[in-house]
């Protein structure tokens, strides 16, 4: 679909190439295709990947915001944060996904109301499922998650899950 006679331009930004994030990007592309939005036909999609490097992530964020995309879809907490910071003026619409706890990462998303967010920033939290078998002994390292608020969120979720199920607390988080 064209907007004011032009093909919409969408950037998809992910922080690193992991199975979960790659599947998230494929889900976005599938969702667009299901709504008859096909890259090269009626929408222009550009993909960016920082390969886990925050210097690259910040450069991508600046580039994406300056390029005047109509929308930026961010996949992962670091991508949410870097784009939101570069886009603090609200120049571009940002949609985030695969973010466990967007309320604690400093982008202005509030926990109390779904309407508590910057006007240009929307998304849905993706809480991580934690099963009994996962709670007996859990070790989360920086190989598994990015440094920052997610590790603290995971530690809290694990501890609460262990307590609720009467399991001995044994979670450790290396940050």
């Amino acid at each position: 679909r064209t907007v004011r006679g032009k093909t919409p331009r969408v950037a998809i930004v992910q922080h690193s190439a992991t199975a979960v994030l790659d599947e998230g990007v494929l889900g976005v592309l599938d969702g667009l295709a299901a709504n008859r939005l096909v890259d090269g036909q009626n929408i222009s999609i550009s993909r960016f990947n920082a390969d886990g490097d925050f210097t690259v992530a910040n450069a991508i964020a600046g580039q994406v915001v300056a390029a005047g995309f109509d929308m930026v879809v961010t996949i992962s907490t670091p991508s949410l944060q870097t784009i939101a910071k570069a886009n603090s003026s609200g120049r571009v619409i940002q949609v985030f996904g695969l973010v466990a706890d967007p309320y604690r990462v400093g982008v202005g998303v509030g926990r109390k109301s779904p309407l508590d967010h910057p006007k240009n920033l929307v998304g849905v939290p993706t809480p991580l499922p934690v099963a009994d078998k996962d709670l007996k002994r859990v070790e989360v390292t920086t190989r598994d998650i990015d440094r920052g608020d997610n590790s603290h969120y995971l530690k809290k979720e694990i501890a609460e899950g262990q307590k609720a199920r009467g399991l001995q607390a044994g979670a450790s988080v290396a940050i």
Side-chain angles (χ1 to χ4, degrees):
R1 300 172 204 165
T2 60
V3 178
R4 292 179 288 242
K6 69 174 192 147
T7 301
R9 295 176 57 230
V10 175
I12 300 175
V13 179
Q14 70 185 92
H15 186 66
S16 60
T18 65
V20 171
L21 299 182
D22 291 344
E23 286 180 35
V25 170
L26 292 176
V28 169
L29 296 172
D30 289 348
L32 291 170
N35 285 282
R36 298 188 197 109
L37 294 169
V38 180
D39 188 26
Q41 292 181 14
N42 53 6
I43 191 170
S44 175
I45 300 171
S46 298
R47 293 174 60 176
F48 299 86
N49 188 328
D51 291 323
D53 185 320
F54 280 96
T55 302
V56 173
N58 284 310
I60 288 171
Q63 175 187 351
V64 164
V65 172
F69 283 91
D70 297 296
M71 179 183 296
V72 179
V73 179
T74 54
I75 304 297
S76 76
T77 301
S79 295
L80 163 63
Q81 292 172 304
T82 55
I83 296 293
K85 182 178 178 185
N87 190 35
S88 61
S89 66
R91 186 172 170 182
V92 180
I93 296 169
Q94 180 179 352
V95 179
F96 67 84
L98 290 176
V99 175
D101 190 8
Y103 315 109
R104 295 171 36 121
V105 298
V107 296
V109 176
R111 189 180 302 275
K112 293 186 180 182
S113 167
L115 300 177
D116 187 7
H117 59 83
K119 65 179 181 162
N120 65 300
L121 176 65
V122 296
V124 178
T126 310
L128 302 173
V130 180
D132 285 352
K133 67 179 179 59
D134 300 322
L135 294 172
K136 291 189 178 150
R137 176 73 181 143
V138 179
E139 185 170 342
V140 181
T141 70
T142 54
R143 286 186 326 235
D144 304 313
I145 58 174
D146 58 272
R147 294 178 187 260
D149 291 318
N150 274 342
S151 57
H152 301 288
Y153 171 77
L154 288 170
K155 183 176 181 180
K156 177 182 159 281
E157 290 294 303
I158 291 165
E160 288 176 2
Q162 289 171 324
K163 183 178 178 183
R165 291 167 177 84
L167 298 170
Q168 181 179 358
S172 63
V173 176
I175 300 174

